[in-house]
């Protein structure tokens, strides 16, 4: 059991050290959170168990129990919840990578001397003149200064029909040029482009928490002090009215309250629900802007959309042909 205690101590230090650090910071800030209860519960369980292992004669036979497995399991379950939350953020990260893949990797810059040079899109500056050939992606946001073409903007608007662009019209990064050639002047680059702003919003969603997560924190701020008060009251009752040895029974009962009250379910519920919600949304191509939007989605009764491309694939195809009288249907190919 001494070896088990040493191994459990290693688990508490290396796998659960951040809980104890968080509890200490909360204590210094005259606050109590879930880290406080986890640290107190697992720490008390380990200390009591080591006392039973090292000096068992101080404890009555009925109280000679060790709780090393309780400490290890509590740390393991809470870390599992944190891992699931990281996994949920990873799913959103995949959506960000797909957005980044929509960007052009290079841009063809028109120099003052009339030469053209392909440079990485990161080296494009506002005011640069950029040539776009047929079939290429628009590298950065800008304004057309020469030529005309049809631009596929479905990745931004959901509209499947290409939009005609000519001198004076604006073009957006990530959209695809049609058969014509264009020259445009860069107006917004990098994170300032429309695509960059969308990517930033999705990235911010990873770090946002749904209101239910904040509710769990508020519950913890009340629950943790309440549990500690109950543990103290339990110890006082056993010390004043319990059987001999009173001190040992006082420690056993107070420790039991702290271990049982450790909020494993409270630590797992929010990350798991977030993982399922974000994961299912990512599977269907839905990008969650923030945690508040994710939680509010459960209360929606009506969804209003303004574009067919929002609900469809955005790629119309012929499904049926109606011919005029006397014409052959095969004439339509």
């Amino acid at each position: 059991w001494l070896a088990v205690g040493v191994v459990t101590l290693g688990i508490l230090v290396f796998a659960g050290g951040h809980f104890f650090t968080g509890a200490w910071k909360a204590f210094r800030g005259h606050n109590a959170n879930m880290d406080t209860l986890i640290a107190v519960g697992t720490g008390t369980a380990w200390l009591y168990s080591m006392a039973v292992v090292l000096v068992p004669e101080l404890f009555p036979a009925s109280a000679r129990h060790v709780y090393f497995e309780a400490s290890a399991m509590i740390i393991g379950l809470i870390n599992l919840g944190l891992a699931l939350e990281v996994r949920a953020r990873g799913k959103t990260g995949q959506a960000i990578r797909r957005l980044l893949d929509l960007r052009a990797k290079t841009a063809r810059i028109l120099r003052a001397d009339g030469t053209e040079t392909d440079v990485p899109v990161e080296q494009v500056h506002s005011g640069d003149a950029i040539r776009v050939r047929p079939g290429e992606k628009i590298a950065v946001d800008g304004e057309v200064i020469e030529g005309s073409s049809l631009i596929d903007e479905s990745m931004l608007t959901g509209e499947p029909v290409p939009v005609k662009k000519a001198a004076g019209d604006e073009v957006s990064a990530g959209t695809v040029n049609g058969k014509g050639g264009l020259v445009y002047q860069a107006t917004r680059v990098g994170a300032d482009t429309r695509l960059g702003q969308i990517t930033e919003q999705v990235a911010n969603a990873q770090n946002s928490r749904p209101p239910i997560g904040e509710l769990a924190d508020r519950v913890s701020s009340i629950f943790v002090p309440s549990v500690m008060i109950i543990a103290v009251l339990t110890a006082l009752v056993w010390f004043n009215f319990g059987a001999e040895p009173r001190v040992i029974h006082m420690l056993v009962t107070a420790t039991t309250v702290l271990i049982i009250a450790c909020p494993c379910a409270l630590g797992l519920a929010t990350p798991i629900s977030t993982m399922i919600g974000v994961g299912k949304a990512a599977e269907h191509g839905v990008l969650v802007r923030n945690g508040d939007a994710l939680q509010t989605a459960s209360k929606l009764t009506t969804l209003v959309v303004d574009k067919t491309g929002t609900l469809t694939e955005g790629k119309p195809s012929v499904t049926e042909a109606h011919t005029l009288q006397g014409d052959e249907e095969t004439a339509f190919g």
Side-chain angles (χ1 to χ4, degrees):
W1 282 114
L2 182 60
V4 173
V6 173
V7 172
T8 305
L9 178 61
I11 294 174
L12 294 180
V13 172
F14 294 103
H18 55 286
F19 296 121
F20 290 88
T21 302
W24 174 247
K25 291 180 179 179
F27 175 76
R28 292 181 60 183
H30 306 287
N31 194 10
N33 54 24
M34 196 169 68
D35 287 346
T36 304
L37 199 52
I38 294 172
V40 171
T42 56
T44 303
W46 185 86
L47 290 173
Y48 176 83
S49 300
M50 285 301 293
V52 171
V53 171
L54 297 176
V55 284
E57 64 275 5
L58 295 180
F59 299 86
S62 59
R64 294 175 186 174
H65 303 292
V66 292
Y67 299 100
F68 294 128
E69 79 288 350
S71 297
M73 287 298 295
I74 289 171
I75 295 296
L77 287 173
I78 301 299
N79 279 331
L80 173 62
L82 296 177
L84 292 175
E85 187 173 8
V86 170
R87 181 184 175 188
R89 293 181 179 179
K91 289 182 177 293
T92 309
Q94 294 176 4
I96 293 178
R97 285 189 290 273
R98 287 196 296 269
L99 284 174
L100 294 177
D101 289 340
L102 296 174
R103 300 186 306 176
K105 302 298 187 294
T106 61
R108 180 171 287 266
I109 302 295
L110 294 180
R111 303 297 183 185
D113 57 2
T115 60
E116 300 180 2
T117 307
D118 288 335
V119 300
V121 69
E122 292 80 9
Q123 297 181 12
V124 177
H125 302 285
S126 179
D128 288 344
I130 304 172
R131 181 181 297 280
V132 183
R133 293 170 294 186
E136 291 184 336
K137 290 182 178 180
I138 305 297
V140 296
D141 290 1
E143 181 179 330
V144 178
I145 57 178
E146 180 183 325
S148 64
S149 182
L150 295 177
I151 303 294
D152 180 4
E153 297 184 335
S154 59
M155 51 81 63
L156 284 177
T157 64
E159 293 289 355
V161 180
V163 180
K164 184 178 181 179
K165 299 290 184 179
D169 294 331
E170 293 186 352
V171 292
S172 300
T175 57
V176 181
N177 183 30
K179 296 181 179 180
L182 292 175
V183 176
Y184 70 97
Q185 186 176 37
T187 55
R188 292 186 296 272
V189 299
D192 294 330
T193 63
R194 291 179 62 186
L195 181 60
Q197 293 172 359
I198 294 173
T199 304
E200 183 179 1
Q201 288 181 352
V202 177
N204 291 335
Q206 293 189 41
N207 299 321
S208 65
R209 300 182 63 191
I212 192 173
E214 299 175 359
L215 175 62
D217 290 339
R218 291 197 296 269
V219 170
S220 296
S221 65
I222 301 174
F223 180 71
V224 173
S226 301
V227 168
M228 299 184 74
I229 291 173
I230 292 173
V232 171
L233 292 176
T234 303
L236 291 175
V237 170
W238 277 89
F239 181 76
N240 289 282
F241 305 104
E244 294 292 344
R246 294 183 178 180
V247 174
I248 299 302
H249 283 109
M250 176 187 71
L251 292 176
V252 171
T253 53
T255 301
T256 302
V257 171
L258 292 175
I259 294 174
I260 292 175
C262 199
C264 297
L266 192 60
L268 287 171
T270 301
I272 289 178
S273 61
T274 302
M275 181 200 69
I276 294 175
V278 174
K280 289 297 182 182
E283 288 177 5
H284 294 83
V286 178
L287 304 181
V288 181
R289 183 175 182 179
N290 52 45
D292 191 10
L294 178 63
Q295 183 171 334
T296 304
S298 64
K299 303 176 183 178
L300 296 179
T301 57
T302 304
L303 183 64
V304 180
V305 295
D306 62 342
K307 297 180 180 68
T308 57
T310 305
L311 301 178
T312 65
E313 295 180 356
K315 298 177 182 178
S317 60
V318 178
T319 59
E320 187 177 354
H322 296 275
T323 63
L324 296 176
Q325 185 176 4
D327 292 336
E328 294 291 337
E329 185 174 341
T330 55
F332 291 91

